Amino acid sequence: MTTLDLTKLPEYLKSQRWFAGKAWPIKHVTVVDHANVSAGPCSMSLAVVEVMYELGQPERYLLPVKPSVDGVRDALEDDDCLRALFDLIRDGAQLPSASGRIVGEWIGGPEGLLGLPSPLAVRRLMVEQSNTSIVLGEKVIVKIIRKLEAGVNPEHEVGRFLATRTSFRATPALLGALRLEGAAGATLALAHRFIPNAVDGWKYTLDRLRVERPLGDTFLDEMADLGARLGDLHRAFGSAPPDDAAFVPEPLLQEDLQRWSASIVGELGVTLAEAGRLHTDLEGRRERLIDYAKRLAQVSPSGQKIRIHGDMHLGQVLRANDQWLIFDFEGEPARSFTARREKYSPLRDVAGMLRSFDYAEATVALEGGAPRGRVGPSRDAFLEGYRKATLGAAFLPADAASFDAMLRAFELEKLLYEVRYEMQNRPDWVRIPVEALLRMEESP
Ligand SMILES: Nc1ncnc2c1ncn2[C@@H]1O[C@H](COP(=O)(O)OP(=O)(O)O)[C@@H](O)[C@H]1O
Ligand SMILES: O=P(O)(O)O[C@H]1O[C@H](CO)[C@@H](O[C@H]2O[C@H](CO)[C@@H](O)[C@H](O)[C@H]2O)[C@H](O)[C@H]1O
């Protein structure tokens, strides 16, 4: 590639919202692969750059760039280039790159293209996100992934599995993807069906908590529905056939419970070491919390490990036409792709959503002193909906005591993740999971 001035890249990267390494001195940036795309008025290069830091692990980013007098210009500012990217996906195109190839994949069939206006109107999504999403013709949403990870992208893999191998439709359907194959291989972009007039579950719940005290029956019914949709999702994962090694359920073994328990104990150590200095009330509570994690290893194993959502919270569901849709199957951003693709107990997703109810209530309480202690019925309704939808499912633990001990341990695991996530990203919010940790310690 000739148009990319490498000396300008560190400064350029540091000015981008999606660049994760703003705090670290950059040693150098190299281009590890690139492909030139020329389509009508758009001429751009899809470059994969590797950022080496003075300290720490290197990171890779996708840079769709155009020639510019300043050295670098983001090609995603150009509507024609956004259309050209979508065309690569829709046409199942193949393009050579310097050391591999770019491959478009369309799984939406001819019906996925129905109603797409021509020319395609382009709208950028104005939300805080670590990728760049655009809406095309109000029918398709394309997420261009900025920070690239090695290995199989779970959102791509899960989207394809749900769309092609299951009847689960409570999700915006995956329509296609753009991949880079070769040594620097990665998923570069994903296209999903766009859901117009959708509100995300976090905003939806906050709005209800702000006006309804106590929460009304309609809201509780909606929470039961949400639990049922998560149950349906788990049933879809649990239905994977034996020829699908990445998805087929596996028996849950004692060693899984021991490994997960040990990992939570380890996370407890790391988290308390980091958070304990600022939140001294956490100090001295370690032993009781360790107990919750250790109880997981003592559960007698039953049920299965299946693929799960992995980062379930209210921001990962959409409310549209009085229905819930579950989306964003990326998993927890702090974990590697390999870790995010591991089969796990589905109760981990249930625990994630329960934590989100606590977050919602705490947020509204902080805004205006609305009373706490109102989300218990939502929690119960959600669990009831989940239990009904998964009655008799092979992936669930065989008895209620195991269900409760596992759920509690996974809530603790999520809480510890949240403490670390908030310390790094939103220090003002860290009190929410810290207080929940303290409450957990007090309960029987
Ligand atoms: N299929 C969709 N239909 C409508 N809105 C969507 C759809 N997918 C995502 N969104 C909106 O875009 C936002 C960002 O999408 P998301 O996939 O979470 O991106 P990121 O992984 O970069 O955070 C979501 O919070 C949601 O509001
Ligand atoms: O960016 P992602 O959506 O993949 O998830 C990360 O960020 C979430 C915050 O946006 C974080 O969720 C935590 O905060 C939510 C409220 O903003 C709350 O509903 C969740 O329960 C809480 O875990 C998520 O953990 C993190 O992975």
Side-chain angles (χ1 to χ4, degrees), residues 1-6 31 34 36 45 67 71:
M1 182 162 62
T2 53
T3 53
L4 202 51
D5 180 349
L6 292 178
V31 176
H34 75 275
N36 294 322
S45 188

Side-chain angles (χ1 to χ4, degrees), residues 48-122:
V48 174
V49 298
E50 184 163 88
V51 183
M52 292 291 293
Y53 296 98
E54 294 290 348
L55 288 172
Q57 294 301 311
E59 289 174 342
R60 287 188 177 181
Y61 288 88
L62 173 66
L63 288 188
V65 283
K66 292 177 56 137
S68 149
V69 278
D70 314 329
V72 193
R73 197 180 139 212
D74 189 348
L76 302 190
E77 289 168 8
D78 179 333
D79 288 1
D80 289 314
C81 288
L82 293 172
R83 290 188 194 97
L85 269 180
F86 177 60
D87 286 348
L88 292 175
I89 299 175
R90 186 190 56 188
D91 300 342
Q94 297 203 1
L95 267 183
S97 69
S99 58
R101 60 181 187 160
I102 302 273
V103 179
E105 175 190 340
W106 183 256
I107 62 165
E111 63 280 12
L113 296 169
L114 284 184
L116 270 186
S118 174
L120 266 179
V122 171

Side-chain angles (χ1 to χ4, degrees), residues 202 311 313 316 333 355-356 359 414 417-418 421 426 429:
W202 173 248
D311 190 18
H313 59 80
Q316 312 284 45
R355 285 291 316 125
S356 216
Y359 255 80
K414 188 72 186 179
Y417 168 83
E418 287 170 349
Y421 177 87
R426 305 183 293 195
W429 290 54

Side-chain angles (χ1 to χ4, degrees), residues 252-275:
L252 190 137
L253 309 174
Q254 192 79 59
E255 68 198 50
D256 294 316
L257 294 166
Q258 286 167 349
R259 190 162 34 90
W260 297 337
S261 163
S263 148
I264 301 173
V265 172
E267 285 175 14
L268 190 66
V270 171
T271 313
L272 290 196
E274 282 175 31

Side-chain angles (χ1 to χ4, degrees), residues 233-247:
L233 174 69
H234 289 159
R235 278 197 181 277
F237 285 136
S239 73
D243 67 349
D244 196 339
F247 284 88

Side-chain angles (χ1 to χ4, degrees), residues 113-231:
L113 296 169
L114 284 184
L116 270 186
S118 174
L120 266 179
V122 171
R123 177 164 69 83
R124 283 159 189 78
L125 213 62
M126 291 304 176
V127 294
E128 275 286 299
Q129 63 173 151
S130 39
N131 298 294
T132 300
S133 290
I134 49 154
V135 179
L136 295 163
E138 300 302 310
K139 300 272 184 196
V140 176
I141 179 163
V142 178
K143 175 154 86 177
I144 296 120
I145 298 166
R146 296 296 196 156
K147 183 159 175 283
L148 302 178
E149 309 268 348
V152 179
N153 177 304
E155 189 171 18
H156 185 183
E157 185 185 39
V158 168
R160 196 195 293 140
F161 170 79
L162 291 175
T164 61
R165 307 209 72 173
T166 76
S167 56
F168 182 75
R169 294 293 170 263
T171 185
L174 180 73
L175 297 173
L178 193 67
R179 283 183 286 120
L180 172 64
E181 290 182 352
T187 299
L188 307 180
L190 293 168
H192 288 94
R193 174 64 67 212
F194 179 68
I195 312 296
N197 306 316
V199 183
D200 75 69
W202 173 248
K203 181 175 182 317
Y204 188 81
T205 306
L206 288 190
D207 287 349
R208 300 297 289 272
L209 279 168
R210 283 177 186 129
V211 295
E212 288 185 31
R213 14 174 132 174
L215 290 159
D217 286 346
T218 311
F219 183 73
L220 297 184
D221 289 347
E222 290 165 0
M223 289 299 121
D225 266 2
L226 183 57
R229 288 300 79 70
L230 182 60

Side-chain angles (χ1 to χ4, degrees), residues 315-333:
Q316 312 284 45
V317 296
L318 296 173
R319 183 86 180 153
N321 304 318
D322 296 332
Q323 305 285 331
W324 291 112
L325 300 171
I326 301 176
F327 75 115
D328 198 350
F329 294 93
E330 235 173 8
E332 283 172 352

